[in-house]
Amino acid sequence: MMLRFLKGVVGGSGAGLKDLPYTIGEPYPSAWGSWTHHRGTSKDDGSPVSIFSLSGSSAQDGHLAAGRNGVKRLRTVRHPNILSFLHSTEVETVEGSSPRVTIYMVTEPVMPLSDKIKELGLEGTQRDEYFAWGLNQIAKAVSFLNNDCKLVHGNVCLASVVVTPTLDWKLHAFDVLSEFDGSNQTATGPMLQYEWLIGSQYKPMELAKSDWAVIRKSPPWAIDSWGLGCLIYELFSGSKLGKTEELRNTASIPKSLLQDYQRLLSSTPSRRMNIAKLIENSEYFQNKLVDTIHFMEILTLKDSVEKDTFFRKLPNLAEQLPRQIVLKKLLPLLASALEFGSAAAPALTALLKMGSWLSTEEFSIKVLPTIVKLFSSNDRAIRVGLLQHIDQFGESLSAQVVDEQVYPHVATGFSDTSAFLRELTLKSMLVLAPKLSQRTISGSLLKYLSKLQTRKRVLINAFTVRALRDTFSPARGAGVMALCATSSYYDSTEIATRILPNVVILTIDPDSDVRSKAFQAVEQFLQIVKQYHEKTNVGETTAGISSIPGNASLLGWAMSSLTLKGKPSEQAPLAMVNTGTNTSSSTSNANSVIDNPSTAPIRVNSSTDLAEQPVPTSPTSTDGWGELENGIHEEHDSDKDGWDDIEPLEEPKPSPALANIQAAQKRPVTQPVSQSKSQGLRPKNPVKATTDEDDDLWGSIAAPAPKTTSKPLNVKQSAAVDDDDPWASIAAPPPTTRAKPLSAARGRGAKPAAPKLGAQRINRTSSSGM
C-alpha cells in the first residue's frame, strides 16, 4: 500500500483537492513527458504558482516511480537556473472500480518555453539576443549538475525548459536525473534508471545502444552536452526534433554559434564540449542583453565608478533591447537594486524611463512601491532625482500614500543645508500639496513655508536684537560679521531702518575689534543703500536733500520739512539753519551737549506715534514665525530698550526708505510754550535748557544730525552722549560693562529714568497728554 501524504479521497481526477493549499487552474497545452502543467494560485494569499500533475493506474507504475524521483531530486537540488520547488503530495482517487494515484508538485509560476516564444513573437537580432540569454542560463544549470554535483540530467530539450514571469529560463523534468558513477568500475547495470523515458531522437549514439561501459568512461557532461545541442536546434528551427538525423541541418543555427553547436554534437563522447567552456568562450553569448543582465546580477561586486558609468548609459541602452525583456527582467532587477541600495542615483532616471513604457496599472504595481521607499533614502542624490522627476509619477501616488509615507520625508528638504534641494522641495509641493490632508497642510506645510518666507526677519532679529546687544564683546563682533555675511538677504528698507541703526552704535563700542568690524559693516551696507539710491527715481526719493551740501543737508532737510507743520513765528531760526549760515553755532551747541553732565534720555510716547503714522517695516514682518522662534515676545520690557518704537507687532506695508524716514520726521509733537525756541543757539553751560518741540525735529526720534566739524564722541563715566548722535533714541545703547538697559525710553507713562546714554533730556508732553 503506497504512503499517503493526504488522507482525503475525492472523486474525479484530483481537481478540487480538499487539503492541497493551492487551487488548480487551467492546463497549458504542452508539458514534458507524461506530466500535465497547470496554472494555479495559493489559497493563502492568491499568489500564482505552477502545479504539475502525474497520474498512474497503480503504485507500481513506472511513470509514477520516475515522477517520484523527479520530485525528490527537484526538492534537493537548488540553483538560480533550476525550477524552484514549493510543495508536493500524492492523492489516491477512485475512478469507477479501479484506484488511481496522482502526484502533485507545486513550483514557482512558470510556463512552457515553447508557449512563451510564441507569446513574445521576437524576431531578428532581438530574438537572437533573448535566445542567447536563455541558453546561457540553461547552460549554467546543466554545468552545475554535471561539473559540481556529478549528476546527469539525461533529457535536456525544449520541453524540459520553462520560463518565469521575469522571462528567466529554468531547467526542470528531473525524472531521469541520476548520479554519474563513472568511477565505479564494478557497476554493470544502467546508470540512468529511467532512461526509457527519453525520446529516441534525443539520445546520443552510446545511449541509444545502451553502451554503459562507454558512457561510464565518458566525461559527466557527455550526454547532457548532446541534449543541449538538441535544444539549440529546436530553438532556432522553430520545431520539435523529429529524428536524430535532423541535427545535421545547420541552416538555422547562427554562425557565431555553429562551431560550438557542432562540438556539442560530436559523435565521440569524450570529444564533446564541456558546457562550462561553452559559457566562458562562446562568442554568441557576448551581446548587449547578456552583458546588461549579467552586470545587474552582480551589481554588488561593482565599484562606484563602474556603476555610475553603467547607469548613465542604461536609459539609451534600454531602448535598443527587447522591450518585453526590459520591462519584465531588467526593470525588476533595477527596482530591487535601488530599493536595497546597491544601485547609484543615476539608476533612478533609467527606472522612470522604463516605467514610462508600462501601463498605469502596471506602473502602480511594479514601480511606485519602489519610488515610495526611495523617499526615505538618506542619499541626497536619490532625493534630488526623485524631486526633479516628481511630475512623472506624482499623479500616480494616492493621497494616503503622499500624506503618510511621502510627505514626511520630502518635508525634511525644507530645512536641508543644500539650497538646491530646498528649492526642489518647494517646487514639489505643486504636485504633492493637492494630495495632502488639511491637517498636514495647516499643521506642517504652512509652517515650513512660513519659515522660508521669514528668513530675513529671523536673521535680523537674531543678529541685531540679540547678538549686537550682547554684553560679551566677541558675541557683538560675531553678530556684525553675521550681518555682513548675510547682506544679500536684506533689502534697502531693512538695511536703512533696522540694520544700520544698530550697527552704527557699535562704532563707539568699548571693544576696538567690535568698532573695526562695525565700521566695515557700515561701509558695506551704505554701499548697498547707495546702489539702491542710484536705481531709484531721484525726484521721488531725494527731494530737498541734494540742494544742501555736506552734513548740513540732513539737518536742513529735516528743518525744512518741519516748517510744513510749525507756526509762522517759529520758522525764523529754522530758516537760518536751512541756509547753512549758522553751522559754527550749531557745532558749538553740539559740543556743549557733550560736556553737559545733566543730560537725560528723551521720553517718547510710542503708542501715540504708532497710531498717528506708519513706521518703516520689513517686507517679511507681517509674518510672526520669525519672532516666535527667536523668542522676541518673551523678553521683558526692560530688555527691549524702546525697540517697539520702530518694530510694531503689526507692521504696514513698507514704503521707500527715504520716504519712510521723512514720514517719521513729520510726527506731530506738542511742547509747553514756556520752553525756549532757540535750543540750537543756547550757550555752553550746565544749566538745563528747554525748547519748543517743533524746533527740535530730531527730538522725537534721534539727536541732531552729525556735523563735520564736531569733535569725536567721548563716552564719559556718566554714560552721557551728545545730540550729534542721530540714532541715540531709536537704537539700543552701545553695550558697555557699566550701562544699564534704557528702559525709560519706551515712553509708556513710566517715570523718568536716571541719566543714561541717549539724547539730551527735554521736558515735554506727548500728543496724548501723558
Side-chain angles (χ1 to χ4, degrees):
M1 190 70 180
M2 65 167 288
L3 176 64
R4 294 187 180 91
F5 293 90
L6 292 176
K7 297 181 179 180
V9 178
V10 295
S13 62
L17 292 169
K18 293 181 179 180
D19 297 327
L20 186 67
Y22 300 91
T23 301
I24 301 175
E26 294 296 322
Y28 287 100
S30 62
W32 181 86
S34 300
W35 289 88
T36 302
H37 184 182
H38 301 266
R39 298 174 179 86
T41 56
S42 171
K43 291 181 179 179
D44 293 336
D45 56 9
S47 58
V49 295
S50 281
I51 302 176
F52 295 84
S53 64
L54 177 65
S55 298
S57 58
S58 68
Q60 288 74 33
D61 191 307
H63 288 86
L64 291 177
R68 294 188 188 101
N69 177 66
V71 172
K72 181 185 70 173
R73 297 292 186 176
L74 194 64
R75 181 191 292 116
T76 56
V77 177
R78 297 287 183 175
H79 187 271
N81 305 121
I82 292 177
L83 184 62
S84 297
F85 173 88
L86 298 178
H87 181 81
S88 68
T89 189
E90 288 188 23
V91 175
E92 182 177 341
T93 60
V94 178
E95 293 182 355
S97 59
S98 60
R100 189 169 185 82
V101 177
T102 304
I103 300 174
Y104 290 96
M105 180 177 67
V106 184
T107 69
E108 62 181 313
V110 290
M111 71 182 299
L113 176 60
S114 56
D115 295 346
K116 178 58 70 174
I117 291 175
K118 293 177 183 178
E119 180 184 289
L120 293 175
L122 298 175
E123 296 179 355
T125 303
Q126 291 194 345
R127 186 201 70 162
D128 289 346
E129 287 184 343
Y130 181 56
F131 284 178
W133 168 245
L135 285 172
N136 183 275
Q137 291 183 301
I138 297 302
K140 289 179 179 178
V142 175
S143 176
F144 170 74
L145 294 174
N146 298 157
N147 297 289
D148 299 333
C149 303
K150 295 299 185 286
L151 296 172
V152 179
H153 183 277
N155 196 19
V156 179
C157 61
L158 188 67
S160 64
V161 178
V162 289
V163 184
T164 68
T166 57
L167 301 184
D168 290 305
W169 292 16
K170 298 212 171 183
L171 183 66
H172 80 123
F174 280 15
D175 294 17
V176 185
L177 189 72
S178 301
E179 286 84 2
F180 178 77
D181 60 354
S183 58
N184 187 356
Q185 299 178 357
T186 61
T188 56
M191 188 175 70
L192 302 180
Q193 184 179 0
Y194 304 104
E195 58 87 16
W196 52 269
L197 289 172
I198 305 173
S200 60
Q201 71 271 31
Y202 297 113
K203 291 182 178 180
M205 186 63 64
E206 68 276 12
L207 186 58
K209 295 179 179 180
S210 297
D211 191 348
W212 300 110
V214 174
I215 293 175
R216 287 186 169 92
K217 290 180 181 179
S218 302
W221 59 82
I223 295 178
D224 289 338
S225 292
W226 181 277
L228 188 62
C230 297
L231 171 60
I232 292 173
Y233 174 82
E234 290 182 318
L235 273 176
F236 291 100
S237 66
S239 61
K240 186 178 180 180
L241 181 63
K243 54 184 179 180
T244 306
E245 288 74 16
E246 293 178 0
L247 294 173
R248 296 181 180 277
N249 184 5
T250 61
S252 61
I253 308 299
K255 293 182 179 180
S256 58
L257 187 59
L258 181 58
Q259 186 177 0
D260 295 327
Y261 170 77
Q262 293 171 337
R263 294 180 63 185
L264 289 170
L265 297 172
S266 175
S267 57
T268 305
S270 61
R271 297 182 62 183
R272 289 177 192 150
M273 186 178 191
N274 188 342
I275 298 177
K277 292 184 178 180
L278 173 70
I279 299 171
E280 296 174 359
N281 303 323
S282 178
E283 178 185 347
Y284 180 70
F285 294 137
Q286 299 175 5
N287 61 55
K288 294 178 182 178
L289 180 62
V290 174
D291 292 343
T292 300
I293 297 178
H294 179 67
F295 188 97
M296 288 295 302
E297 289 182 334
I298 60 172
L299 189 62
T300 55
L301 304 179
K302 302 295 183 179
D303 59 37
S304 58
V305 176
E306 292 177 305
K307 290 180 182 180
D308 283 346
T309 303
F310 172 78
F311 287 122
R312 293 185 190 282
K313 295 179 179 179
L314 186 57
N316 292 331
L317 182 62
E319 294 182 349
Q320 306 171 25
L321 301 177
R323 183 61 53 88
Q324 291 295 324
I325 317 299
V326 170
L327 297 181
K328 295 185 178 181
K329 177 61 180 179
L330 275 181
L331 184 59
L333 284 175
L334 189 59
S336 178
L338 276 167
E339 185 175 338
F340 293 101
S342 58
L348 183 61
T349 302
L351 178 73
L352 293 175
K353 183 169 186 176
M354 295 178 188
S356 66
W357 299 335
L358 295 170
S359 65
T360 303
E361 294 181 358
E362 289 179 317
F363 183 85
S364 299
I365 296 173
K366 297 181 178 180
V367 179
L368 272 187
T370 298
I371 291 177
V372 171
K373 292 179 182 178
L374 289 179
F375 275 104
S376 62
S377 173
N378 293 325
D379 187 342
R380 182 173 286 163
I382 292 287
R383 295 163 59 195
V384 167
L386 288 170
L387 296 178
Q388 285 178 322
H389 299 92
I390 199 168
D391 57 321
Q392 298 180 25
F393 59 84
E395 294 300 326
S396 301
L397 296 170
S398 67
Q400 182 179 3
V401 169
V402 171
D403 197 58
E404 297 178 0
Q405 301 181 51
V406 175
Y407 174 76
H409 298 294
V410 173
T412 61
F414 284 119
S415 55
D416 196 275
T417 55
S418 170
F420 182 57
L421 187 55
R422 293 197 302 271
E423 178 184 354
L424 289 176
T425 303
L426 182 60
K427 290 179 178 178
S428 71
M429 290 302 110
L430 294 174
V431 177
L432 300 181
K435 298 177 180 290
L436 295 177
S437 65
Q438 188 61 39
R439 178 180 180 181
T440 302
I441 292 176
S442 59
S444 177
L445 178 58
L446 293 181
K447 180 178 179 181
Y448 283 119
L449 296 179
S450 178
K451 287 182 179 179
L452 292 179
Q453 294 173 344
T454 59
R455 174 173 61 181
K456 294 184 291 186
R457 177 81 174 191
V458 171
L459 293 180
I460 294 177
N461 287 336
F463 297 150
T464 60
V465 176
R466 294 179 179 271
L468 299 190
R469 300 169 64 185
D470 200 296
T471 57
F472 187 50
S473 60
R476 299 195 297 275
V480 175
M481 295 177 66
L483 283 170
C484 294
T486 57
S487 60
S488 60
Y489 297 150
Y490 316 123
D491 57 32
S492 57
T493 301
E494 291 167 326
I495 292 174
T497 60
R498 303 191 62 193
I499 297 177
L500 278 175
N502 289 281
V503 176
V504 167
I505 296 175
L506 297 184
T507 57
I508 58 171
D509 192 272
D511 189 287
S512 61
D513 183 61
V514 175
R515 293 197 301 271
S516 299
K517 290 180 171 124
F519 279 112
Q520 295 174 3
V522 169
E523 292 178 2
Q524 179 175 339
F525 285 110
L526 279 178
Q527 184 63 32
I528 296 175
V529 175
K530 288 179 181 178
Q531 292 175 357
Y532 169 78
H533 163 73
E534 294 172 357
K535 295 178 182 179
T536 307
N537 188 312
V538 177
E540 294 180 355
T541 59
T542 60
I545 297 180
S546 58
S547 60
I548 303 178
N551 292 335
S553 63
L554 290 175
L555 184 59
W557 165 64
M559 294 301 183
S560 63
S561 63
L562 182 60
T563 59
L564 298 177
K565 292 185 178 182
K567 299 178 182 179
S569 60
E570 298 170 348
Q571 296 177 7
L574 302 181
M576 296 176 59
V577 179
N578 209 14
T579 56
T581 59
N582 201 19
T583 304
S584 60
S585 175
S586 299
T587 304
S588 174
N589 176 51
N591 294 338
S592 68
V593 173
I594 298 177
D595 296 334
N596 190 346
S598 61
T599 57
I602 299 175
R603 296 181 60 211
V604 180
N605 190 308
S606 60
S607 61
T608 302
D609 294 341
L610 291 174
E612 292 177 354
Q613 66 163 50
V615 181
T617 63
S618 164
T620 60
S621 62
T622 58
D623 191 291
W625 286 106
E627 295 182 0
L628 289 175
E629 293 184 1
N630 287 274
I632 294 179
H633 297 311
E634 297 175 3
E635 297 181 5
H636 297 291
D637 289 348
S638 60
D639 296 331
K640 293 186 178 181
D641 299 327
W643 289 91
D644 284 351
D645 291 348
I646 63 168
E647 289 187 40
L649 295 179
E650 296 294 333
E651 297 175 338
K653 183 177 180 181
S655 56
L658 295 176
N660 287 333
I661 296 177
Q662 185 175 9
Q665 293 164 344
K666 294 178 180 181
R667 183 178 302 154
V669 294
T670 60
Q671 192 74 0
V673 180
S674 59
Q675 293 179 343
S676 173
K677 301 178 183 179
S678 56
Q679 170 93 9
L681 302 177
R682 66 183 185 274
K684 179 178 180 181
N685 58 70
V687 180
K688 285 187 178 180
T690 59
T691 183
D692 191 351
E693 178 80 16
D694 292 340
D695 283 359
D696 187 6
L697 172 65
W698 294 95
S700 63
I701 61 170
K707 309 299 187 296
T708 55
T709 58
S710 62
K711 63 181 180 180
L713 297 175
N714 297 320
V715 180
K716 297 187 177 182
Q717 199 168 12
S718 62
V721 70
D722 71 317
D723 288 347
D724 286 352
D725 182 358
W727 305 108
S729 66
I730 68 166
T736 63
T737 56
R738 301 179 63 182
K740 296 182 179 179
L742 190 58
S743 59
R746 297 182 58 84
R748 296 182 177 177
K751 294 181 179 181
K756 300 176 182 178
L757 289 176
Q760 180 180 4
R761 182 176 181 180
I762 303 174
N763 293 330
R764 63 181 66 172
T765 60
S766 66
S767 59
S768 62
M770 293 183 64

